Amino acid sequence: MALVIVRRLIVGSPRRSRLRERSGWVVAAVLIASMAPRTALAHGGRPQTYDVLFGADASDLVVPATFGVMSTTDAGAHWDWLCIEGMPDARRGSVRPAVRTPTDRILFAQHFGLVVGSQRDCAPAYDTSLHDRYVADVTARPGGGYAAVSSDGDVVNGLYVSETGEEPFFPVGAPFPIGFLPERVRFDPSDPMHVIVSGETQTPGGLDFTGTLFISHDLGAHWDAHDVPLEPDEHVLRALAVDPADPERLFVVAQSSTADRVIDVTAGGTTLATTLTLEATPIASDRPMVLAFASDGSVWLGNTQAGLYRIDPDGSLHTVDKFLRVACIVPHGEDLYLCGDGLDDDFALGVQRIGMDYAPTPLMQFAQIDSQRVCGTELDPMCAVWWNDLLLDTGRADMIPDAGQTDAGSDAGTDAGAVDAGPTFDASTTPAPAPSTCACGVAGRRPGGAAMVFASMLLVGLFLRRRR
């Protein structure tokens, strides 16, 4: 029965028409299997950092994670936490693209628009220009400005830009044909007009998809389309990075339910060559597969299942760390910033010197995250509800004061049949926080077992095929 309910949630609604029929039962079965009891993770899955957003210098960092946003202004000596529940329509455990402007505005690509906040803002809100659109990606343009792509099914999608990130995004160039579902937007690092948008195109009258690259040298006024054939189980095509030494070359990844196939695209989209295929976490929402060009010409890449790899300028491939759950590789000067999971790895955020032997310096450990809001006040009531969960998820359950463990299965069983949500902690054990001046406007009610289960179901549907 649960299998039928999950599949209906994923494929049965017209608002999720992008999901292919043949994927429905597979996804539902894997999702039900994933609900079996494992290590207690109360906050929405395994904790993972997945990006680094730099301020004026390397001491001022914002680090998005699957459980919220951390920030430091002292090069990692202290980390403050903004819980993910502070964002509208937050999806715990998900990975969403983000950028940071010079004025400290932070833009997140969300399922229902662009969420805009700031490092010191505890009440992010939707940008009105793209509200109620599925925003698949947002990225910086070379020389300044930002770009985003919408990706709703059965409607016209397009490229949007904002000159500074302060004013609303507006559409530019020719719209994409109906049936094309953008995933990522990338730029030639030296040319703000040279843009590449990757995604999938639905076959006319069918439920199958082929990968497509749209390439433009005039910011979308004219698009050249290039097919990237997908293998039978592949359903997502995402552009990763453009070669700064050769703007006609980029890497993309074709993602199936269990693998990431990295493709080297050259000659402006006309030549394709599979570089390697990595085992990947099954149907993870917005599963990170990351790649970056280093200053010495090497290419670093990896994912959270198969580890970290390097391609040298001579084309040789090296396994760097097959155990690292890497979810970001961010070049900054002569350093690479690496996102780990902070549990199995030695760090949640580490720094590797380019050209040196592999020995990343830990910059963030989960134990450094303070129970404070990013806006600098004490933990406000909304995030206080989730602080014990974060301690549990990040391996610090011994820090929970008088934590009366409850059997969530008893509540979840009432709401969601035989699904065992695993142990959790009663939020009432959280000490009363000091008065907050954050003035956050998001309710702080803790969801019950059934709410968490059905939120996970909806999340999988949103990942595989967009709403509408």
Side-chain angles (χ1 to χ4, degrees):
M1 180 62 182
L3 185 64
V4 174
I5 293 173
V6 174
R7 181 180 178 275
R8 185 174 297 277
L9 279 169
I10 296 172
V11 304
S13 168
R15 291 173 64 83
R16 291 173 179 82
S17 61
R18 291 192 54 189
L19 180 63
R20 289 173 295 176
E21 181 73 15
R22 64 186 176 87
S23 301
W25 289 107
V26 175
V27 174
V30 176
L31 178 58
I32 292 297
S34 71
M35 293 177 182
R38 291 189 179 92
T39 303
L41 292 172
H43 201 78
R46 190 179 188 88
Q48 177 79 59
T49 58
Y50 63 83
D51 203 354
V52 183
L53 310 177
F54 293 94
D57 55 57
S59 65
D60 181 6
L61 304 175
V62 171
V63 179
T66 54
F67 53 86
V69 180
M70 278 73 64
S71 71
T72 181
T73 56
D74 54 16
H78 302 88
W79 292 92
D80 289 336
W81 172 56
L82 169 65
C83 63
I84 197 168
E85 289 73 24
M87 293 186 185
D89 297 311
R91 302 295 196 274
R92 302 177 199 93
S94 68
V95 175
R96 301 303 302 161
V99 294
R100 182 181 181 186
T101 74
T103 57
D104 271 346
R105 285 169 63 88
I106 302 173
L107 289 72
F108 286 89
Q110 272 284 23
H111 298 94
F112 297 98
L114 275 174
V115 171
V116 182
S118 74
Q119 183 181 3
R120 302 298 172 187
D121 179 12
C122 65
Y126 278 116
D127 171 80
T128 57
S129 59
L130 279 169
H131 190 30
D132 204 33
R133 297 300 305 267
Y134 186 108
V135 180
D137 195 18
V138 60
T139 190
R141 292 179 63 197
Y146 302 89
V149 285
S150 65
S151 190
D152 289 305
D154 300 327
V155 298
V156 173
N157 293 297
L159 177 68
Y160 296 79
V161 300
S162 173
E163 294 300 329
T164 64
E166 305 291 331
E167 73 279 357
F169 281 70
F170 59 90
V172 296
F176 300 114
I178 292 180
F180 175 65
L181 305 166
E183 295 284 351
R184 291 292 182 264
V185 54
R186 293 292 183 265
F187 284 87
D188 171 358
S190 62
D191 185 357
M193 304 297 285
H194 182 185
V195 59
I196 300 99
V197 176
S198 67
E200 309 86 50
T201 298
Q202 187 173 7
T203 56
L207 294 173
D208 292 327
F209 289 79
T210 185
T212 307
L213 290 174
F214 279 93
I215 300 177
S216 174
H217 291 269
D218 51 16
L219 197 60
H222 302 88
W223 294 105
D224 292 325
H226 300 273
D227 288 339
V228 180
L230 299 179
E231 295 181 356
D233 191 36
E234 293 174 344
H235 46 69
V236 172
L237 183 74
R238 289 179 172 145
L240 297 172
V242 178
D243 189 344
D246 180 3
E248 298 301 310
R249 178 196 186 200
L250 74 150
F251 282 94
V252 301
V253 59
Q255 295 184 296
S256 70
S257 58
T258 57
D260 290 333
R261 182 167 62 98
V262 181
I263 304 169
D264 190 345
V265 182
T266 54
T270 60
T271 304
L272 310 173
T274 297
T275 299
L276 78 165
T277 299
L278 301 179
E279 181 183 358
T281 305
I283 64 169
S285 175
D286 303 299
R287 181 176 71 210
M289 165 68 215
V290 291
L291 181 147
F293 288 86
S295 59
D296 63 354
S298 60
V299 178
W300 295 65
L301 66 160
N303 65 16
T304 57
Q305 181 72 23
L308 180 66
Y309 298 80
R310 187 186 74 247
I311 303 173
D312 286 342
D314 62 5
S316 58
L317 176 67
H318 304 272
T319 302
V320 178
D321 186 347
K322 67 179 181 179
F323 300 108
L324 180 65
R325 294 177 178 268
V326 60
C328 84
I329 306 171
V330 183
H332 189 73
E334 295 303 311
D335 293 320
L336 292 176
Y337 286 71
L338 306 173
C339 293
D341 78 345
L343 297 177
D344 289 344
D345 302 328
D346 294 330
F347 53 82
L349 181 65
V351 182
Q352 168 65 35
R353 194 70 172 177
I354 297 172
M356 304 294 288
D357 291 340
Y358 178 69
T361 302
L363 188 62
M364 180 203 296
Q365 305 281 11
F366 286 141
Q368 296 175 270
I369 301 174
D370 295 329
S371 57
Q372 295 178 349
R373 295 303 303 272
V374 176
C375 55
T377 68
E378 295 297 321
L379 189 69
D380 74 273
M382 179 185 62
C383 282
V385 172
W386 295 100
W387 177 243
N388 283 353
D389 284 351
L390 181 61
L391 291 176
L392 176 64
D393 292 351
T394 56
R396 296 184 286 167
D398 58 325
M399 294 178 59
I400 301 175
D402 301 323
Q405 188 168 1
T406 64
D407 183 6
S410 60
D411 293 333
T414 302
D415 295 333
V419 176
D420 182 2
T424 186
F425 285 90
D426 188 348
S428 63
T429 62
T430 304
S436 169
T437 59
C438 278
C440 295
V442 183
R445 185 167 65 97
R446 183 192 181 105
M452 293 291 286
V453 171
F454 279 92
S456 299
M457 296 175 183
L458 293 175
L459 177 57
V460 174
L462 282 168
F463 160 61
L464 287 176
R465 293 294 142 221
R466 312 287 188 261
R467 62 192 180 87
R468 299 188 195 276

